[in-house]
Amino acid sequence: MKSIPKTTFFLLAFTMTIIIHGEATGKMNAGKLDLPKTVGVWNGPDSARLINSKNIFKYMNGAGELYLGYRFHHLEVFDYTSPDQGNILVELYFMESPDDAFGLLSLDWGGEPVSFDGAPAATSNQFFTASTRALYGGGLLRMWSNDMYARIMAERETPASKEAVLALGKAIAAGDRPPSEPALVKILPLEIDSTWKLRVDRLSFFRSHLVLNSIYYLSHENILDLDLSAEAVSAPYEFIPGSGDPKRSQFLLVQYENPKRARQALNRFHDAYLPGDKKEITAETAADSPSLFKLEDGWLAYKLIGKHIAIVFECPDPESARTILQKNESNLLEKGGDHER
């Protein structure tokens, strides 16, 4: 099967642009936290609208699959209104774990990094730091706070509305320790042999094949057997030569519950993606060298590593594909400890 180039991720739930302003007076309950009753000229409701897995599709007109693919628990919605400045919408997505909330933020690293803890915000979102857990742009603040992913949007972007949006974000983050990125994210080396550099601003953590297809399309079917028990991270590695166009390869690392599940998933992937090459991956072949294949868009390589599958797509040559896999495998064994667990 020929790989379709990486598509630009977009979802209606993530492309709305909106914002707000103010000082907080009064409090109202919002699940685990308190939100200001009033912020600037905007007044909040007495209680939240509660959205769960049964009515999420009605709330967002079919886009709920994205959140369900990240072990969604429930959503709390607050509408802040003003007489003449437009409204502010606050959405608090409570997930099963901080990893799931991080995954939602990781689908789009665009925007201006924002810090709520007094430390300087990161000047660039090219590197993961504790302060880069909130991003603002075009009237929309997106943030990751422990097991919560929040979106705060103003209908009109003005200096006052931006101030209000950031004030609400600060209230959400109050007393919160910056969580750590998912362990799988930390496996990927930022640089390989001083030639390939990880595009962390294109790195995404996910569990669902629907999310994977929005990042890098493989198939309309779930050919990697991804489900809520799996964890996956994908990002491009980029090589910028002294002259000429940069070269880019897409890397994918998936963790399953156990080696058997990983082996079954890799066999299914091979059969679906490389139907002209008959091969069965067994427990005995797991330690073999990476399997390499020349496709129309470059070299593809994969390897089974315990309960993990590592795959690299669109490499310019087999040596680069092998190098990217080997360095990631080395990091996995070093940082992941016993990968059979």
Side-chain angles (χ1 to χ4, degrees):
M1 178 186 301
K2 181 183 180 296
S3 172
I4 296 176
K6 182 176 81 67
T7 58
T8 302
F9 180 81
F10 71 94
L11 259 168
L12 178 61
F14 280 84
T15 54
M16 294 174 60
T17 54
I18 355 185
I19 319 194
I20 339 175
H21 163 32
E23 296 177 357
T25 58
K27 296 284 184 179
M28 65 181 175
N29 292 326
K32 306 175 186 177
L33 47 84
D34 287 332
L35 288 182
K37 175 65 177 175
T38 302
V39 56
V41 298
W42 288 267
N43 295 312
D46 293 328
S47 61
R49 285 187 283 156
L50 297 179
I51 310 295
N52 56 33
S53 58
K54 295 180 179 178
N55 60 2
I56 190 171
F57 290 98
K58 283 187 177 180
Y59 172 73
M60 55 184 57
N61 193 27
E65 197 69 50
L66 170 71
Y67 298 94
L68 297 180
Y70 278 102
R71 303 193 301 180
F72 167 82
H73 187 270
H74 74 278
L75 163 64
E76 297 181 5
V77 180
F78 297 88
D79 295 291
Y80 281 76
T81 61
S82 71
D84 56 5
Q85 297 296 311
N87 296 339
I88 295 175
L89 176 66
V90 178
E91 296 177 330
L92 307 179
Y93 294 85
F94 291 88
M95 315 303 290
E96 188 170 314
S97 74
D99 287 359
D100 296 294
F102 170 88
L104 288 167
L105 181 64
S106 76
L107 294 178
D108 183 0
W109 291 107
E112 170 193 349
V114 176
S115 175
F116 298 115
D117 58 8
T123 57
S124 168
N125 59 7
Q126 297 297 304
F127 299 96
F128 294 122
T129 65
S131 59
T132 307
R133 58 180 179 131
L135 296 160
Y136 176 87
L140 170 63
L141 177 70
R142 297 173 292 111
M143 60 183 293
W144 161 47
S145 178
N146 288 321
D147 60 357
M148 182 204 307
Y149 171 71
R151 298 176 73 242
I152 308 174
M153 301 162 284
E155 286 182 348
R156 302 179 196 168
E157 182 175 16
T158 64
S161 71
K162 179 178 180 179
E163 186 179 341
V165 167
L166 295 180
L168 288 165
K170 186 173 183 178
I172 292 169
D176 175 28
R177 280 186 176 182
S180 178
E181 299 87 11
L184 205 63
V185 168
K186 300 175 183 178
I187 299 298
L188 275 60
L190 295 176
E191 188 174 288
I192 299 176
D193 289 351
S194 301
T195 55
W196 290 94
K197 298 185 185 300
L198 184 71
R199 287 290 304 269
V200 294
D201 61 326
R202 296 290 184 269
L203 184 149
S204 299
F205 174 87
F206 55 95
R207 304 175 187 275
S208 162
H209 80 283
L210 298 175
V211 176
L212 171 59
N213 280 342
S214 70
I215 300 164
Y216 189 86
Y217 186 86
L218 292 185
S219 169
H220 66 280
E221 296 181 350
N222 185 11
I223 62 174
L224 278 166
D225 286 335
L226 294 174
D227 61 21
L228 295 184
S229 68
E231 297 181 12
V233 62
S234 186
Y237 277 98
E238 191 170 72
F239 170 59
I240 303 177
S243 61
D245 296 330
K247 301 174 183 178
R248 183 178 295 183
S249 297
Q250 189 74 18
F251 180 73
L252 171 65
L253 180 65
V254 187
Q255 176 180 295
Y256 295 88
E257 291 179 297
N258 52 58
K260 181 180 179 181
R261 278 287 310 275
R263 188 167 61 252
Q264 291 172 341
L266 186 53
N267 275 312
R268 180 175 181 184
F269 168 81
H270 180 100
D271 291 344
Y273 207 79
L274 303 160
D277 188 290
K278 299 301 180 184
K279 179 177 180 179
E280 181 179 2
I281 296 92
T282 66
E284 289 69 33
T285 63
D288 291 350
S289 298
S291 297
L292 292 154
F293 306 89
K294 181 68 171 74
L295 303 179
E296 293 180 17
D297 54 8
W299 286 85
L300 176 147
Y302 65 65
K303 188 169 184 185
L304 179 67
I305 312 166
K307 63 180 181 180
H308 299 84
I309 294 173
I311 310 175
V312 60
F313 301 89
E314 299 186 49
C315 258
D317 53 74
E319 292 76 19
S320 295
R322 189 180 291 110
T323 298
I324 292 173
L325 279 187
Q326 287 174 344
K327 180 58 178 176
N328 275 277
E329 179 181 12
S330 175
N331 269 25
L332 176 61
L333 299 178
E334 178 184 345
K335 297 183 179 181
D338 179 7
H339 62 273
E340 293 286 333
R341 287 183 298 180

